[in-house]
Amino acid sequence: MFLKNALDISHRIIEMIVAKGDAVVDATAGNGNDTLFLAKLVGLEGKVFAFDIQDMALENTRKRLADDDADKSVILIKDSHENMDMHVPKGIKAVMFNLGYLPGGDHSVGTKAASTIKAIEKSLALLEPGGVIMIAVYYGGDSGFDEKEAIMEYVKSIDYKKAVVLVHEFVNQINCPPIAICIEKCS
Ligand code: SAM
């Protein structure tokens, strides 16, 4: 299957936008799978700024990158993504959010609406025109519905002259299938 889930959609769109040498952000490093995906896309000439608030996530990401010999272009940052402007220069090509909690970790330390929305705002400011933000939003179960609802309300309010927002939703699946939100900064 070409489009398996929200994360897959995020990867497919980012692959179309990001090229070798670009600078990108992984806003939720977790176990490092998306950081590795981004590191391979930007190559040794590019840069990946990967954020997480948990030591365990950053350690898992560090190991994941080292196993694939892909750590050279990655900067791991222990800070909330809402502070990304303190670590990341302007001119970013893509920002990836994979929301929720660390698989295999503490389910109570998941992403939260207020900080996620601040981080999306900062991502938009750091993004170069034509760049994209991809957000895989999990809801239901331990993630609840608050974050999804707040993010949807926020992205609908983004000025259409500033960015285009597209929501990908699987409408015939069971158990709250995650949605993928794509925000493209206008040129
Ligand atoms: N992208 C990851 C991967 O490939 O394995 C999965 C990410 S996991 C679903 C979500 C991660 O977001 C968790 O590791 C959690 O610690 C992190 N997180 C939660 N709040 C955060 C915040 N404010 N800033 C940065 N990371 C945060």
Side-chain angles (χ1 to χ4, degrees):
M1 277 178 76
F2 177 58
L3 298 174
K4 291 195 284 280
N5 52 43
L7 193 55
D8 223 44
I9 292 171
S10 292
H11 284 189
R12 297 292 81 80
I13 291 176
I14 284 176
E15 272 169 356
M16 289 192 286
I17 304 285
V18 172
K20 291 251 181 292
D22 284 339
V24 299
V25 172
D26 183 352
T28 50
N31 287 322
N33 300 304
D34 298 318
T35 310
L36 177 61
F37 163 78
L38 292 168
K40 285 181 175 170
L41 276 184
V42 302
L44 283 176
E45 348 41 326
K47 196 61 77 195
V48 183
F49 299 89
F51 290 83
D52 209 290
I53 49 172
Q54 296 192 73
D55 288 324
M56 183 180 164
L58 291 169
E59 185 52 21
N60 290 353
T61 299
R62 195 190 60 70
K63 283 193 195 128
R64 185 85 182 84
L65 295 167
D67 286 349
D68 266 67
D69 203 21
D71 46 353
K72 312 241 171 353
S73 53
V74 179
I75 299 177
L76 296 177
I77 301 160
K78 189 182 177 201
D79 198 355
S80 172
H81 41 221
E82 75 202 282
N83 300 322
M84 71 169 75
D85 55 330
M86 292 165 60
H87 308 275
V88 177
K90 282 193 169 179
I92 292 295
K93 199 63 173 287
V95 182
M96 214 181 145
F97 290 82
N98 188 348
L99 302 180
Y101 51 81
L102 179 67
D106 182 349
H107 288 202
S108 68
V109 194
T111 50
K112 302 276 181 295
S115 43
T116 302
I117 289 170
K118 269 191 205 147
I120 298 169
E121 283 171 345
K122 293 202 170 165
S123 301
L124 261 174
L126 294 170
L127 217 58
E128 70 177 49
V132 294
I133 302 167
M134 288 304 310
I135 313 164
V137 186
Y138 298 81
Y139 59 99
D142 288 347
S143 297
F145 292 85
D146 294 354
E147 187 177 30
K148 179 198 176 205
E149 283 164 13
I151 291 172
M152 283 302 295
E153 199 178 315
Y154 165 68
V155 296
K156 285 180 188 173
S157 76
I158 294 174
D159 182 352
Y160 73 93
K161 293 188 222 78
K162 201 170 165 191
V164 172
V165 180
L166 177 65
V167 178
H168 306 252
E169 183 176 12
F170 291 90
V171 294
N172 69 337
Q173 293 184 0
I174 56 168
N175 298 333
C176 301
I179 61 172
I181 302 175
C182 176
I183 304 173
E184 181 183 2
K185 186 166 175 171
C186 294
S187 305

